Amino acid sequence: MNHLLILLSAFIYGGSSFGFSLKKTCPPSFELRDRECHLASLYQLYSSPHGKGVGSLRTALPQHRGGYSPEQIDLGRYLFFDPILSKDKSMSCASCHKPELGFSDGMPRSTGLNGELLPRSAPSLWNVGFLKKLFWDARSSSLETQAKGPLFHPNELGHNAEALTTSLASHKAYRELFEQAFPKMQSITIDQVTTALAAFQSSLISLNSRYDRYAHGYSHALTEPELKGLNIFRSFVARCAECHTPPLFTNQQIAVIGVPPPEDLPFDIGAEKTFQKPMLRGGFKVPSLRNIAHTAPYMHAGQFKTLHEAVRFYTSGRGHAVPEGERLYIHWHIWEPQLSDIEIDRLVDFLKTLSDETFMPEIPQRVPSGLPIGNRKVSH
Ligand code: HEC
Ligand code: HEC
């Protein structure tokens, strides 16, 4: 009995690390080399960056942001879910990037710390480790700098670097976990926080959908209607694959496609601001379509509720929804494909084959700060 008690308390208080310790193995789809996790994917067997023409099945993946240690990835997992990252300790990254909603939040636009609506929607984070440009308007080029956006934005997590590192260091569990993840460092720094968050987010890999099985040669992985959808997607009529290029289903470029602003918002100039180029007015980063069935509503401010609505937008004519008085340089691949209702249905059937959450990370039941997870007050 005594032994059991000692064991139990050792588990609850975790001996030295309060029951928290970091994984020493890489997440699935990574292999450990020189104490770093590197992606291992069948797509790496394909060498051509463009495959055999646009939309080709065996297209190589872009470079993946890997090279983090298993401990850094696992520390990032705890941080991502821990409301200690917000000023009033009520929200975490996972408040707006919910695992069960494709790491998006199911809202047309996210709600920040003080209950105000943000101007844009929360993108999915699956495969974000491949992206060279982050945010809808491509204003950030690395996950590390990106993370400082929500951490310090007054209406997101609203923190500042010093208060955050001090608050993390006040928890013995975190002091020990940071030591495991960054053995050579003396104290907790904001760079370690953003490295760990980047490490965790880069581990969110979704490349095992039924589409992928088809691409790797298993011809029965897609049904007839889905295959019809794939062919429309790749066709010169619909041109979807020109921008939503496999295997990530984004070419990572900016494109002006002319999605109308939501009723209560002024027109969002998007990438014009980032690059100071009038040609890019209303331009946004082409989003990946991976796990798209889980991330409604769609577009940069959740303008479309369903996949049908989003796909139908492309059939209504080039520039049809551009607000009066706006002059936009609509991308040359946006045309008037005049797809029939049946073809739109097939496209949607195909988009649903891009779902894969096999490598969903383990969601922590409790976090090192001891704060409750998912207690966020939703106020409107
Ligand atoms: C209040 C809701 C909210 C919180 C909290 C939040 N995000 Fe976001 N996130 C968003 C929104 C909205 C965007 C898109 C903003 C834009 O493009 O202007 C975004 C964009 C991103 C992107 C860019 C993805 C892409 O494809 O370009 C990453 C990465 C990201 N967030 C990670 C995080 C991390 C890490 C945290 C925690 C430190 C976090 N987010 C906290 C709402 C949130
Ligand atoms: C010229 C490049 C381009 C082409 C061609 C294109 N798209 Fe897009 N797509 C984009 C951009 C850019 C966005 C984001 C626009 C925004 O939010 O304002 C987008 C958004 C989407 C979204 C919503 C994604 C999300 O996460 O909210 C879907 C679904 C989509 N496209 C499907 C398609 C389909 C199907 C086709 C073919 C009929 C297609 N796209 C053709 C550039 C393109």
Side-chain angles (χ1 to χ4, degrees):
M1 183 64 183
N2 269 349
H3 277 101
L4 186 66
L5 269 181
I6 293 168
L7 261 179
L8 259 177
S9 57
F11 175 73
I12 293 166
Y13 299 110
S16 60
S17 52
F18 294 80
F20 292 97
S21 62
L22 299 179
K23 294 194 174 109
K24 293 187 165 33
T25 49
C26 296
S29 96
F30 285 85
E31 56 187 28
L32 192 62
R33 290 199 304 268
D34 300 329
R35 300 204 23 78
E36 290 177 348
C37 300
H38 294 279
L39 183 74
S41 160
L42 267 180
Y43 279 106
Q44 288 162 323
L45 299 175
Y46 312 140
S47 54
S48 160
H50 302 297
K52 292 182 181 138
V54 168
S56 147
L57 298 173
R58 303 204 171 177
T59 306
L61 276 170
Q63 184 72 32
H64 178 261
R65 200 44 231 285
Y68 299 103
S69 71
E71 289 86 354
Q72 289 167 348
I73 295 173
D74 210 32
L75 173 62
R77 182 173 65 95
Y78 284 120
L79 289 171
F80 189 87
F81 288 95
D82 198 331
I84 197 172
L85 290 196
S86 68
K87 192 176 168 193
D88 69 356
K89 302 192 170 27
S90 70
M91 280 176 89
S92 65
C93 308
S95 305
C96 301
H97 300 283
K98 298 179 198 291
E100 69 277 17
L101 293 172
F103 287 92
S104 164
D105 65 2
M107 307 289 287
R109 290 147 59 197
S110 304
T111 311
L113 204 55
N114 50 22
E116 261 173 56
L117 279 182
L118 299 177
R120 296 186 186 137
S121 71
S124 163
L125 300 181
W126 285 109
N127 295 330
V128 78
F130 293 100
L131 302 186
K132 309 269 180 304
K133 300 186 183 103
L134 297 159
F135 287 125
W136 283 102
D137 54 8
R139 68 184 181 279
S140 177
S141 53
S142 84
L143 282 172
E144 284 84 346
T145 23
Q146 185 285 326
K148 292 182 181 159
L151 280 175
F152 306 140
H153 191 290
N155 192 27
E156 289 188 52
L157 299 173
H159 232 312
N160 72 62
E162 208 184 304
L164 175 56
T165 47
T166 311
S167 124
L168 286 167
S170 73
H171 294 276
K172 185 160 189 281
Y174 266 126
R175 289 201 302 277
E176 295 185 356
L177 297 186
F178 273 84
E179 225 174 276
Q180 288 174 35
F182 302 98
K184 290 188 197 107
M185 307 296 283
Q186 301 294 319
S187 58
I188 298 179
T189 65
I190 205 69
D191 286 348
Q192 292 164 5
V193 174
T194 55
T195 301
L197 285 169
F200 169 65
Q201 295 177 83
S202 312
S203 77
L204 302 173
I205 301 293
S206 175
L207 295 170
N208 287 306
S209 65
R210 286 198 291 117
Y211 162 80
D212 296 294
R213 268 172 264 161
Y214 181 81
H216 296 316
Y218 181 59
S219 58
H220 298 299
L222 297 185
T223 64
E224 267 310 304
E226 291 163 349
L227 261 181
K228 283 206 178 98
L230 167 61
N231 288 329
I232 300 168
F233 189 87
R234 295 198 293 182
S235 69
F236 193 67
V237 176
R239 305 189 188 188
C240 315
E242 297 281 350
C243 296
H244 300 285
T245 315
L248 290 185
F249 291 83
T250 167
N251 59 3
Q252 306 205 42
Q253 304 292 311
I254 311 285
V256 183
I257 70 170
V259 175
E263 273 167 24
D264 56 335
L265 274 192
F267 184 74
D268 187 336
I269 64 168
E272 177 183 21
K273 182 165 174 220
T274 311
F275 300 97
Q276 296 296 313
K277 281 192 187 149
M279 288 285 289
L280 296 180
R281 188 173 183 82
F284 292 96
K285 191 184 68 175
V286 176
S288 163
L289 300 180
R290 293 273 176 178
N291 287 320
I292 193 76
H294 303 292
T295 61
Y298 301 106
M299 305 296 178
H300 66 271
Q303 283 92 332
F304 301 123
K305 286 199 185 68
T306 63
L307 274 177
H308 269 96
E309 276 180 45
V311 175
R312 196 171 290 281
F313 163 81
Y314 290 95
T315 64
S316 310
R318 185 179 156 83
H320 69 276
V322 175
E324 226 170 288
E326 278 295 341
R327 209 175 114 69
L328 300 186
Y329 298 89
I330 304 281
H331 196 284
W332 62 91
H333 284 308
I334 299 297
W335 214 245
E336 298 187 23
Q338 297 181 344
L339 302 175
S340 67
D341 286 352
I342 293 170
E343 286 171 315
I344 292 177
D345 286 348
R346 295 297 78 81
L347 269 174
V348 171
D349 289 341
F350 167 67
L351 291 176
K352 290 182 180 164
T353 71
L354 297 174
S355 294
D356 160 46
E357 300 183 324
T358 328
F359 297 149
M360 179 63 86
E362 200 182 308
I363 317 296
Q365 294 304 307
R366 46 195 200 102
V367 283
S369 66
L371 290 166
I373 321 181
N375 68 338
R376 180 180 173 215
K377 308 173 285 289
V378 179
S379 44
H380 289 288

